[in-house]
Every structure is written in structure tokens, then in C-alpha cells.
Amino acid sequence: MDEFSFIQSIQPKTYKRTNLIKGIGDDAAVFRPMYHDVVTSVDTFVEGIHFSKETMSAYDVGYRVLATNLSDMAAMGSTPSFYLVSIVIPKHWSEEELQALYKGMEDLARLYNMDLIGGDTVSGDQLVVSVTIMGEVTSGKARYRSHALPGDVVFVTGTLGDSAAGLHVLLKKEKGEDYDYVINRHRRPSPRVKFAKSLEAIKRLSLNDVSDGISSDVGEIAESSHVDLHIDYEALPIHSSLKTSFDKFLLRKWVLSGGEDYELIGTVPPSDWGRVEEAARKTGTRVTRIGRVEQAKGSTPTVFLHEAGTKQILKKEGFNHLKGD
Amino acid sequence: MDEFSFIQSIQPKTYKRTNLIKGIGDDAAVFRPMYHDVVTSVDTFVEGIHFSKETMSAYDVGYRVLATNLSDMAAMGSTPSFYLVSIVIPKHWSEEELQALYKGMEDLARLYNMDLIGGDTVSGDQLVVSVTIMGEVTSGKARYRSHALPGDVVFVTGTLGDSAAGLHVLLKKEKGEDYDYVINRHRRPSPRVKFAKSLEAIKRLSLNDVSDGISSDVGEIAESSHVDLHIDYEALPIHSSLKTSFDKFLLRKWVLSGGEDYELIGTVPPSDWGRVEEAARKTGTRVTRIGRVEQAKGSTPTVFLHEAGTKQILKKEGFNHLKGD
């Protein structure tokens, strides 16, 4: 592979954003934020740890790594604008595959009017893709996990467990009509950027994304906000193809702790629930009320799972039955 | 290694910058730029490619990777403010070593009042450290490689070839009194952030950092500005310990194409040369005039090396003798 021509080929020929002052080609990129606050995070994918060629094409790898970053921007209520890509390239990746990987990112970036403004391309033993993303948000409108208050409604977008089901099907090499849906959800998550942006009129809102599985992600809201969260298992949104195609035990595990669905989970005062529904309608996003926030009873903020009249403590790593309940 | 406690241990307990709104602990960090423009770049180091434990301690690896990023911020004339660290950790790196690596970054960051505001920690086969840096600059004051004009004076900070000499000594395991200086220059470069910032009053200025060796870095200014650059070999600043300790052929190679000195190279109108000298005095930085800018004679912008009355074309990969000159 000719490194120089490869780098040339992945560089954007034009830029989409008018607030970009200098793109790729100097010591660094320069942009002028259009809003007050800049939001930034980084996500790293390693071959053999976070993905494998067995279950994903190079295009999907690119698409998915940027999607996870976009999901972080959504969970902050911010508008993504720029990204930088650092890549470690091993010998067993061809130039065609690498170009497909960048195409996966580029196609998703186009949907959000984002520009690739920097990066680093180095060689190594194992493919590593690290994406730094930058977003912008109106002053004081960034959304945190720490803003939940007792009395709030808990909601989640989309459906849960799809990505884990997709990975399961891919690893078991199972074939079936309904599997296309879960496979696509695993490979091409839909970050809820527009939905989160549509919540801007809401004064107080806590927000997180479903990356590790809701047991963990809801727990982060409880912990950061020092409140208890009560979740109704029966209310959790599950796609019809999951209900019909899979074992109940697996399904339950995927829904509660599968993760990587890149949906949003949040809490709002009940008086703002109508606004959440309106944002969902406007952006074609499914949204479901799944529980409520209560004052923390003990010294440790706790998530409770209600199901068929029983109550369990939902721990980050899964769930433990609560004795005497 | 307990991943959770390691991540806890490398997270800052307090933040230094007042314009940071949210540090580590949510889906992303949030800051409010104090100046108009945000400057950003990423640099990635891979073990066995960019460094090895044979020549650098873990602390030095951390120090150096952040220093290279700081040098990019200097070359843009910007003030570095925040950084994010993505790290791929193989089994053969101990927790103590990793903590030393972060300490190397932290100690350098403290000198510049910078905060670590995000990152990702994953496992893999080979150590990879990728740092994204963010800086800020007054509107229109970012410095580019493309701003050189015929008539400009070419200058460079510090001395050239030190880092390559240091690496040579380390790889050959040579010992000598004068070697401490070059070894230290290799392991702990001094990014010229304060010097670059002190040039702010100068209206037009082209700037680049010495990362790949001046033959390449000067070439980038020529190319971006569509001008010819004429460099006087005898004027190039060389540290006394290099002159006394090394073979002349090696020395010449290191000075022209050694790279990784992380000095600044730039051009200004002759009328602003006094301001450059003043900035150098104020910040305790050595600065040397090394040549001049001329209109491009041919269709390809070219760098010429003048030496003992002869003139050669200085190419990116080294230097080619110009026939009949």
C-alpha cells in the first residue's frame, strides 16, 4: 500500500460546515463554534476485542465506530459537527478494506453534516480505530446523567436488546427471516441525535445512552443523581422479532444488559412528558415510559426492577433477587 | 490489573481550567472556549514503531506523546487547554508502568495549565497511545504554513538534530558526558508554546513545527505557500555537544532530516524580525535566521540548500545535488 496515496484518498475534498476555518493539511484543524459550548469525547475500537471481520464488514466497522461517538453527542443533547480519526493499520488489512471503513464513517457523517478534520495514520500489529468527536450546544443546554430528581418519569427510545441479539445470530451463524432486523441493528445503530436536540425546550432533563446495557446505564443516572430508579420490566420496549425468535432467558439478558443499542435513556418531570412525546413524533422516534425516579432510600442509590408484582435490585452486572420482597 | 481502580487512579481529582464545564464522568466533556477559535489535532504512538521500552521509560513515553501534541498547538499559534487520551493496553504493561505514563503527561500538562477531560481505555496486543489535544486562539490569529511570502526571513527555534542524536546514542547504548543533553532532548522535547504565543502581535507569519526534519517541514511551507525557500546550511543552529561528539556525515543527516526536535520553523517579513527576537528574549528561546523566501521559479515550489557557495535542492526525503550549480 502506498501510504501517501491512501492518506490522500481518505481526505475530504470539500468540507460541509461553514464554521470550519482550516481542515486537514496543517498542524491542526481550526473551527469557530457557532454555539457557546463545545462537547467532546473519544471512542476506540480494537479488532478482536470490539469487532471481528467474521461479523462485520469493514464498512460496518467504520459506520459503527462513528455511530457510537454520535450517540455520546446525542446523550449530551449536542449537535455533532467534527471528527478526527486515528487508525493503527496492520498488514492484513487491504487498502480496499480501509477505504470501505472510512466510507462507512463518511456516509454516516454526511447524514449529520459532519466533517472529518484530522487524524493520524500509523502502522501496527492490530487494527485500532479511535474517533474523537466534537459537538456544539447552546450555553447551559448540555444534558447530564446527574439531573434526575424524585418524581421524574424514566423513558427510553427505540427497542432494547436488538444489538446483542444481532451479535448472537452472527456468531452462531444462524439464518432466519427475522434476523436481518437484529443484524442490521447490531451493525448500523441509529444514534438519537435529532430526538435529543428536539428536547431542547425542556428545562431539566437527565440523559444517558444505552451503551453497556440499561442495568448499567440506568445505574449511572441513579449514581450521578443520587436517586433510586424504579423500572418496570413489562414496560421495556422489545421488538417483535426478538419476542418471536429467541429463548426467553437470553432475551431477558439482552434486554437488561446486552448494551450497544445506542438508544437514549433519560428522566424528565411528568409535566414535560408531553414534550418528550412531541419530540418523538417530530423525529419519528419510538419512546416509552419505563419507570419513575424516587428519593434514594438507602445510602447507595439503587435501581429496582419491578416484574409480576415482585421487586429486585438491578445491579450493573445483571440482577439480584431481593429477599423477602 | 483491576480496570476500574486503574481508571479511577488516572482520572484528575480536580480541574485547573475555569472554562471547563464538565470533565470526565459523563458521555462527553463540555467546555466554553474563552477565545473565538478552537484548534485540534490528534497524534498516535505505537510501541515498537514510535518508541520502545529499550530507549524510553513509561514516564517519558507519556511526556513525549503529549509534547508532540503541544508542538502542534504551538505551530498553530494557539494556547493548548484540554486533552483526551485513548489507550490500548497489552498484558505486558503493568499498572505501575501505565500510571507512570499518565504521570508523564500530567506533569507536562501542569506546566501549561491543561486538563485531561476524556479518554478510552481498552485492551489489545500492542500499546497504542492516542492523544487528542484542543487549544484556543483569538479570531484570525491561527498560524498556517501557507502564509509565507517572497522577501520573508526564515527562522527556527532551538537547535536541530538533537533528538535524532539522542535516539542514536540510546540505540547504540553509547555512554558519554555530552550524551545526557541529546538523550534528554529525545525523551523530553520542549514545545515552543509560549514563544509562538508571544508572536501574536505580528500580522502575518507562517509557522510549522520540526517533526519530520527540516527538509520536510520547510518543504511543507514552500508547498503550502507556493514559494521557494532558500536555507543556509551554515546558519542552521547546532548544539555544541553535537558538533564535538559525532561524525560529520551523521550530524548533517540529523540536522537536515532527523526530525522530532519539536522546534518551530517559520517566516516573517523582515520588518517583523525584531518582534521575533523580542519574543525569543521574553520567553528564553533561542531563535536563528536560517534563510529567506523567494518567488517560486518553477511550477513546483522548491527548497534550496546553500552551502560553501553551492546550491542544492533539498528534498523531503533528504537532499539531491543540483547538477551544474
Side-chain angles (χ1 to χ4, degrees), chain A residues 24-89:
Chain A
I24 292 171
D26 213 297
D27 296 291
V30 184
F31 67 95
R32 185 163 302 166
M34 298 175 76
Y35 299 97
H36 293 90
D37 296 341
V38 176
V39 183
T40 184
S41 69
V42 61
D43 253 317
T44 302
F45 272 45
V46 179
E47 185 177 10
I49 306 275
H50 300 94
F51 69 91
S52 109
K53 282 188 186 176
E54 272 178 65
T55 59
M56 289 223 255
S57 71
Y59 181 95
D60 291 330
V61 172
Y63 194 100
R64 195 152 176 276
V65 67
L66 189 60
T68 66
N69 274 281
L70 280 163
S71 182
D72 284 327
M73 293 297 102
M76 298 302 287
S78 72
T79 304
S81 38
F82 302 109
Y83 66 110
L84 300 94
V85 178
S86 152
I87 189 164
V88 181
I89 303 174

Side-chain angles (χ1 to χ4, degrees), chain A residues 224-238:
Chain A
S224 303
S225 299
H226 306 287
V227 291
D228 285 350
L229 266 81
H230 292 260
I231 304 295
D232 302 317
Y233 184 77
E234 277 96 356
L236 295 177
I238 302 171

